[in-house]
Amino acid sequence: MSTQAKAPARLERVSNLSEETFVSDYLQKNRPVVVSDAMRDWAPLDTWKPDALARRFGSERVQIYGDLFRLAGIGTLAEYLQRYFGKESVASGSVPYVRWYCHLADDERVPWADEAFKKFQNDWARPHFFPDSSFVLPYRGAAEKIDPTRDWFPARGLFISAKGARTRLHADPWCSDALLCQLYGRKEFVMYEPEQARFLTNAGKTVDVEAPDTQAFPDFSQAHPAVQDTLEPGEIVLVPAGWFHHFNSVTDSVSLTWNFVHACRLQEFILYMLHTPSEGEMKQLAYAYLESPGVRESRPGK
């Protein structure tokens, strides 16, 4: 007797979320959630509109990607906005994507966003539910305060994507959770639970859910997304460790993001490390623990 697959659901929306509940009900249980009121202490969302960003940062060189995470080119933000924003008709997946990361490696050929983040650090705030201590990545003990508005986090960046841009299905590295804060425009997304990996991956590659190669991914038809939803301006989504996610910009969009591993997930992080992360992940972790800005600044004599 066959059973019908459960239809994907919208994510739970919560408000007035405490740090304790965020950790116990979502991080520890590896559950996604959307927080609807966490930008209440931020500057008005108009601050993040494309014309405002163009005035402040238009001459800055930014990192431009395709629909995954291979750097495709470097150009000014003004050039990207002028070429791709405000277009009514585009083919999904054909539009490049600005992922303006802060330092992810000791490579000064890349125009990192660290200085830009310093300039707009007063325009946003640590979300009220996000812990201010006790992290495995980046490392902070229980007595050491940390704040994503001013401190280094892996993959902290400003994502600027024109209508039609997408981020293809993937699970984030480092056994890390991520927060994505939607500042302008809307993004549709689907999410698959970690247990679905056997249907979504093959030989180190992940299926393109919009154009699946059934020869390379013969079991994809058995995969069932747990979530199908739209992220609206002012909302923050938690993407838990190991969850596969695919995002489409259904309008021009601006988002802010960072990854982290909280101390409550230390056991899962250790198990992940024992299963031999990729060489690229190991290099990024070495940078995080040995060379990232917060580590360098804390060394004697700095």
Side-chain angles (χ1 to χ4, degrees), residues 50-66:
D51 56 349
L53 290 176
R55 286 193 298 271
R56 296 177 72 183
F57 303 109
S59 62
E60 297 283 351
R61 296 166 66 243
V62 296
Q63 306 156 43
I64 302 172
Y65 292 78

Side-chain angles (χ1 to χ4, degrees), residues 55 118 137 279 285:
R55 286 193 298 271
K118 289 179 182 178
L137 180 68
E279 181 180 355
L285 287 171

Side-chain angles (χ1 to χ4, degrees), residues 198-261:
R198 65 188 186 275
F199 307 130
L200 304 171
T201 61
N202 187 18
K205 296 183 179 180
T206 304
V207 67
D208 181 347
V209 295
E210 294 183 344
D213 181 340
T214 56
Q215 288 190 326
F217 302 94
D219 296 327
F220 175 64
S221 62
Q222 300 180 58
H224 301 292
V227 173
Q228 186 171 3
D229 208 334
T230 301
L231 197 64
E232 303 284 349
E235 294 185 328
I236 300 178
V237 62
L238 168 68
V239 180
W243 281 66
F244 289 82
H245 48 287
H246 175 110
F247 277 79
N248 279 333
S249 297
V250 293
T251 69
D252 295 339
S253 170
V254 179
S255 312
L256 193 154
T257 186
W258 65 96
N259 286 54
F260 60 95
V261 179

Side-chain angles (χ1 to χ4, degrees), residues 6 24 37-38 84 87 96 102-103 113 116 121 123 129 132 150 154 166 198 218 230 234 236 248 277 280 291-292 298:
K6 186 177 179 181
S24 65
D37 66 343
Y84 295 106
K87 310 300 181 186
C102 294
H103 270 81
Q121 70 176 22
D123 296 332
F129 63 86
D132 64 358
R150 56 177 172 75
R166 65 176 187 159
R198 65 188 186 275
T230 301
I236 300 178
N248 279 333
E291 297 295 336
S292 62
S298 66

Side-chain angles (χ1 to χ4, degrees), residues 130-181:
F130 187 72
D132 64 358
S133 63
S134 303
F135 285 90
V136 177
L137 180 68
Y139 178 75
R140 286 294 192 282
E144 299 176 285
K145 300 300 183 183
I146 191 168
D147 185 334
T149 67
R150 56 177 172 75
D151 294 313
W152 185 88
F153 276 80
R156 185 176 68 151
L158 194 65
F159 285 7
I160 302 168
S161 53
K163 178 181 178 181
R166 65 176 187 159
T167 300
R168 278 177 47 191
L169 191 74
H170 68 285
D172 284 358
W174 320 304
C175 192
S176 64
D177 299 286
L179 290 181
L180 182 76
C181 311

